Amino acid sequence: MLNFFNLSLRLNGFPIKEASAELEKILSISEIDYDNYINQKKNEIVDYHLKHNKSYQGFVGKTSSDNWNKLPVMTKKEFQKPLSERLSEGFTPSTIYVNKTSGSSGDPFIFAKDKFCHALTWANNIRHFGWFGIDFNSSLQARFYGIPLDFIGNKKERIKDLLSHRYRFTIFNLSDEVLEKVLIKFQNKKFDYINGYTSSIVLFAKFLQKKNIVLTTVCPTLKFCVVTSEMLFDDDKILLEKQFGVPIVNEYGASELDLIAFQNPAGEWQVNSETLFVEVLDDDNNVLPNGKQGRIVITSLYNKAHPFIRYDIGDVGILDEKSTSKKPILKKLIGRTNDVAVLPSGKKSPGLTFYYVTKSIIEDDGNVKEFVIKQTKTDTFIIEYVSEFELSEIQIQQIEKAITTYLESGLTFSFIRKEKLERSKSGKLKQFVSLVK
């Protein structure tokens, strides 16, 4: 069989063969020597950008790679200027991979990777999906992702889908009528795996639950499902496993970086230590010990075109105590640093706390398909939801009581039933939004 996927990478100038060979070398490094490998790559990438990237030189000042913990932490605000001002010497937009973040964090920006770095990203993706018997050159993917709606952007993505052996479902309209057509596609196509945004895939699972259908009974070729880009809650994972009949794999990544963590066959959320260096820092940029909650800060070890060095991705998480240099484990992903609710008492609470508490009540009867919570004032919240029937007064009282118990009293809630929820241009659903400045 012709390897269309690998061929498409090579035709676009991405040296996948060389990147795969480099990845094999990295994987062969022993646990004992892995600290040395990481430290060497950290020093190399900092030294490179201090010599060849004027933007990074200006950002860092006189600091060198000799004292890693003294290097300043980069944020998305550092990238709010033209890409041409951020590229390293010798790189131009025509010789690199250029893309744009989704802006789900509120600070979208254009980023770049040199072509070897991007090829290495794909080599590592191929490896991780291979853990579950997936071959990008032959395995058919059911893709629940957004897609550009303009003519040229749409056609480009469709061509990429064709070369990458995947069929893309629209996620901007997931009504029962549309999901019925999705189900028919699964009956008629031999999909090997599902990949896409968590909320969209959960909606499909709820549709199957209502029809009392397990997906593998109509699509027996299905092997597993990967969810990404949005939080996966424990009860949603149970639902997906039940309605799809396959293992559910949790992926954590960022378009500007790489795959950050991927659930391995043992069920561990294994961090990518091959091409990234992941740290967890406190509010003063001190490195926290494993097991402590803090800001996730990431260094891209191979990207020479554009610096991502000690880059605060905007997420909060915990590395497992059993992590090693070669095999770090992400114990928990809490949410985004900008998803914090400041309450009237001055208490700060992760926005997803509201979501967790509300979710435990609001979805018990299967009526509510999905919902989001918006904070409009310190004491005022709007819950928008999609359901077949209005929430009952008893349910509303239960939600308000639970939030009082877990957070504090005196908060005001209004409930708005909608036909569909507002998603970002990429199709992502933001479960909690604070509109308080």
Side-chain angles (χ1 to χ4, degrees):
M1 179 180 288
L2 185 61
N3 293 337
F4 277 111
F5 184 78
N6 286 14
L7 179 61
S8 67
L9 286 173
R10 290 201 298 272
L11 289 175
N12 282 288
F14 302 113
I16 187 64
K17 186 177 179 180
E18 294 81 356
S20 298
E22 180 68 20
L23 180 61
E24 287 303 314
K25 288 181 185 178
I26 297 169
L27 294 171
S28 69
I29 300 170
S30 68
E31 183 73 63
I32 295 173
D33 295 327
Y34 215 77
D35 266 332
N36 291 335
Y37 160 72
I38 293 292
N39 288 329
Q40 177 189 335
K41 297 309 295 183
K42 283 160 54 181
N43 291 337
E44 284 180 3
I45 199 66
V46 173
D47 288 344
Y48 183 89
H49 286 297
L50 285 176
K51 291 176 183 175
H52 301 286
N53 191 288
K54 289 183 179 179
S55 177
Y56 191 67
Q57 291 167 8
F59 175 67
V60 171
K62 296 180 180 179
T63 309
S64 72
S65 61
D66 294 339
N67 192 336
W68 180 263
N69 292 334
K70 293 294 183 183
L71 285 172
V73 172
M74 307 184 82
T75 68
K76 291 178 170 63
K77 289 181 180 178
E78 270 73 67
F79 308 132
Q80 304 296 320
K81 55 183 177 181
L83 180 63
S84 59
E85 295 178 20
R86 293 181 273 126
L87 290 180
S88 299
E89 294 170 357
F91 293 99
T92 64
S94 62
T95 62
I96 54 177
Y97 170 76
V98 178
N99 208 337
K100 186 177 182 180
T101 65
S102 66
S104 58
S105 64
D107 293 304
F109 62 91
I110 295 171
F111 67 90
K113 295 182 186 179
D114 61 81
K115 292 202 169 183
F116 180 79
C117 176
H118 192 57
L120 198 53
T121 292
W122 275 114
N124 217 7
N125 282 342
I126 289 167
R127 167 182 166 249
H128 285 97
F129 278 77
W131 287 347
F132 296 89
I134 297 301
D135 182 344
F136 283 180
N137 290 294
S138 58
S139 301
L140 182 59
Q141 177 191 138
R143 191 169 183 83
F144 288 79
Y145 268 78
I147 190 170
L149 299 179
D150 65 284
F151 181 80
I152 295 175
N154 189 280
K155 293 304 177 187
K156 280 184 177 179
E157 285 302 314
R158 292 297 183 191
I159 291 170
K160 279 198 264 183
D161 286 342
L162 181 64
L163 293 172
S164 301
H165 215 57
R166 60 200 188 201
Y167 183 90
R168 188 184 301 245
F169 294 104
T170 179
I171 60 170
F172 297 108
N173 178 6
L174 291 170
S175 63
D176 283 359
E177 292 77 15
V178 171
L179 290 174
E180 191 69 55
K181 295 176 182 177
V182 171
L183 178 58
I184 291 170
K185 282 293 180 184
F186 274 91
Q187 291 171 333
N188 296 332
K189 284 184 172 287
K190 294 181 178 180
F191 289 114
D192 292 282
Y193 66 113
I194 297 169
N195 190 1
Y197 296 160
T198 308
S199 62
S200 302
I201 293 173
V202 167
L203 268 183
F204 183 43
K206 289 180 178 179
F207 170 78
L208 295 174
Q209 183 183 46
K210 190 165 61 175
K211 294 179 72 73
N212 198 26
I213 293 174
V214 175
L215 195 55
T216 47
T217 62
V218 299
C219 185
T221 54
L222 197 64
K223 295 184 179 72
F224 81 117
C225 167
V226 178
V227 294
T228 189
S229 295
E230 299 162 342
M231 295 290 287
L232 174 64
F233 298 96
D234 291 340
D235 54 348
D236 284 339
K237 185 176 182 182
I238 292 168
L239 171 71
L240 293 175
E241 288 172 340
K242 179 182 176 184
Q243 296 307 140
F244 292 167
V246 296
I248 307 302
V249 176
N250 204 355
E251 178 188 86
Y252 172 40
S255 56
E256 67 267 37
L257 292 169
D258 204 330
L259 183 68
I260 299 170
F262 197 81
Q263 190 175 323
N264 65 27
E268 301 165 315
W269 219 356
Q270 188 167 329
V271 174
N272 167 12
S273 66
E274 293 79 41
T275 68
L276 302 177
F277 175 61
V278 178
E279 302 172 90
V280 175
L281 307 184
D282 65 16
D283 290 339
D284 296 317
N285 294 338
N286 298 310
V287 179
L288 290 168
N290 293 341
K292 296 293 184 181
Q293 175 182 316
R295 294 152 46 230
I296 296 176
V297 173
I298 302 177
T299 298
S300 179
L301 298 172
Y302 283 85
N303 192 352
K304 292 182 177 179
H306 186 293
F308 286 104
I309 298 170
R310 305 201 87 196
Y311 163 53
D312 187 337
I313 193 171
D315 292 333
V316 176
I318 305 170
L319 286 175
D320 201 293
E321 292 88 339
K322 65 184 177 183
S323 296
T324 65
S325 292
K326 186 167 186 178
K327 189 181 176 183
I329 303 296
L330 185 62
K331 187 174 186 176
K332 195 172 185 181
L333 186 63
I334 312 298
R336 302 203 67 87
T337 51
N338 61 346
D339 294 337
V340 175
V342 180
L343 305 179
S345 66
K347 178 181 179 180
K348 293 182 179 179
S349 181
L352 284 173
T353 306
F354 289 85
Y355 192 84
Y356 274 117
V357 174
T358 308
K359 185 178 176 65
S360 64
I361 299 166
I362 208 170
E363 295 187 333
D364 275 352
D365 60 0
N367 172 40
V368 177
K369 294 181 180 180
E370 55 183 357
F371 68 98
V372 295
I373 300 176
K374 296 180 179 179
Q375 183 183 24
T376 57
K377 299 178 183 176
T378 55
D379 64 346
T380 307
F381 298 81
I382 297 172
I383 297 178
E384 297 178 350
Y385 66 97
V386 177
S387 67
E388 294 183 25
F389 313 105
E390 294 274 356
L391 285 175
S392 68
E393 190 60 37
I394 292 175
Q395 283 178 307
I396 290 173
Q397 289 174 0
Q398 286 177 327
I399 292 167
E400 292 175 344
K401 182 180 178 182
I403 289 175
T404 296
T405 301
Y406 286 97
L407 294 157
E408 65 182 58
S409 59
L411 303 178
T412 302
F413 288 85
S414 57
F415 296 81
I416 302 174
R417 184 177 168 215
K418 307 193 82 172
E419 288 293 320
K420 64 178 182 178
L421 297 179
E422 181 182 340
R423 283 174 153 79
S424 68
K425 289 182 180 179
S426 66
K428 292 181 185 178
L429 182 68
K430 196 168 176 61
Q431 284 113 350
F432 176 84
V433 180
S434 179
L435 304 177
V436 179
K437 296 294 184 182

